[in-house]
Amino acid sequence: MSLETIARQFVDLCNQRKNFDVMRTMYHPDIVSVEGDGRETTGQAAVIAKSERWAAANTIHGETVRGPYFNGPSEFAVHITFDVTRKDTGERKSLQEVAVYTVQGDKITRERFFYEGSW
Amino acid sequence: MSLETIARQFVDLCNQRKNFDVMRTMYHPDIVSVEGDGRETTGQAAVIAKSERWAAANTIHGETVRGPYFNGPSEFAVHITFDVTRKDTGERKSLQEVAVYTVQGDKITRERFFYEGSW
């Protein structure tokens, strides 16, 4: 598959709120996920567990993914807006982030999230 | 200056359409600029000249910069929407892109543009 095909499938699935399908089917077993503070999580199962913790802590009312946008032969980026309520505080907020993905051998091998604060 | 201060100044100036002020005052003399196809331009003067050629070929009706968003100690990203008309074809279009900037010693040393096609 081309980078473009993979990236469009990624965006389509996320806009259908199928983020966990993306992680289960499109992530490499050894994926590295880098949060805004630079902290890395390695391995598909650990990365999915991290996202499950985030999804459990927040009520997600909506998600809009813009893109994909391309740079070079193996990277694409998206812009994501989440409409979420933190379950512990009840605060509802629009969260925006940029995510950059590296694709190798038809699988996503690295994701880097750019955002503000530590929501 | 902190990364955050530099990134906010960058976004504020771009949203005032002062992109060339950004390039003249915030870019490192040896900046490397990477286009969507991976092509690199090195040096502040060459990067400014590249942007001048793009600005001369398009009528820019509007520019909206979302962000900044942060990853690690030295990088920030933005999402940019341009409302432009290509002067050669008269076609008006909304162009979206993600840009990722590296900051070292208070100057921007690298920029990478993620987008679709070759506008």
Side-chain angles (χ1 to χ4, degrees):
Chain A
M1 277 187 292
S2 71
L3 174 66
E4 197 171 319
T5 302
I6 291 166
R8 287 193 198 290
Q9 185 181 352
F10 175 98
V11 170
D12 288 347
L13 288 170
C14 289
N15 277 325
Q16 295 170 45
R17 305 280 297 274
K18 295 181 176 171
N19 300 56
F20 284 100
D21 289 349
V22 165
M23 293 179 227
R24 282 189 286 261
T25 62
M26 301 180 71
Y27 279 17
H28 190 278
D30 301 323
I31 185 171
V32 175
S33 174
V34 189
E35 289 294 328
D37 61 5
R39 239 183 319 173
E40 297 189 356
T41 303
T42 301
Q44 189 177 16
V47 171
I48 290 173
K50 172 164 68 83
S51 288
E52 284 173 342
R53 286 194 297 276
W54 189 83
N58 295 279
T59 302
I60 303 168
H61 309 287
E63 176 183 0
T64 304
V65 181
R66 292 183 176 88
Y69 313 108
F70 300 95
N71 179 285
S74 60
E75 285 187 279
F76 72 92
V78 298
H79 180 272
I80 309 171
T81 305
F82 285 109
D83 173 13
V84 293
T85 297
R86 277 181 68 149
K87 290 182 184 169
D88 61 350
T89 63
E91 186 191 354
R92 185 167 178 167
K93 200 172 169 181
S94 173
L95 292 183
Q96 297 190 357
E97 65 184 19
V98 160
V100 177
Y101 296 89
T102 307
V103 175
Q104 288 176 324
D106 289 354
K107 296 289 182 187
I108 295 172
T109 57
R110 190 175 181 85
E111 62 181 4
R112 295 176 65 207
F113 296 110
F114 293 72
Y115 50 85
E116 277 204 81
S118 57
W119 186 274
Chain B
M1 278 187 290
S2 71
L3 174 66
E4 198 172 318
T5 302
I6 290 166
R8 287 193 199 292
Q9 184 182 352
F10 175 96
V11 171
D12 288 347
L13 288 170
C14 288
N15 277 325
Q16 295 170 45
R17 305 280 297 275
K18 294 180 176 171
N19 301 54
F20 284 100
D21 289 349
V22 165
M23 294 178 226
R24 282 189 286 261
T25 62
M26 300 179 71
Y27 277 18
H28 190 278
D30 300 324
I31 185 171
V32 175
S33 175
V34 188
E35 288 295 329
D37 61 4
R39 239 182 319 171
E40 297 190 355
T41 303
T42 301
Q44 187 177 19
V47 172
I48 291 174
K50 172 165 67 83
S51 289
E52 284 173 340
R53 286 194 295 275
W54 189 84
N58 295 280
T59 302
I60 304 168
H61 309 288
E63 177 184 0
T64 304
V65 181
R66 293 182 174 89
Y69 312 108
F70 301 95
N71 179 284
S74 60
E75 286 188 279
F76 72 92
V78 298
H79 179 272
I80 310 171
T81 305
F82 285 109
D83 173 13
V84 293
T85 298
R86 277 181 69 149
K87 289 183 185 169
D88 59 351
T89 63
E91 187 191 354
R92 185 167 177 167
K93 199 172 171 181
S94 174
L95 293 182
Q96 297 190 358
E97 65 184 19
V98 160
V100 176
Y101 296 89
T102 306
V103 175
Q104 287 176 323
D106 288 354
K107 295 290 182 186
I108 294 171
T109 57
R110 189 174 182 86
E111 62 180 3
R112 296 176 65 207
F113 297 111
F114 293 72
Y115 50 86
E116 279 203 79
S118 58
W119 186 273

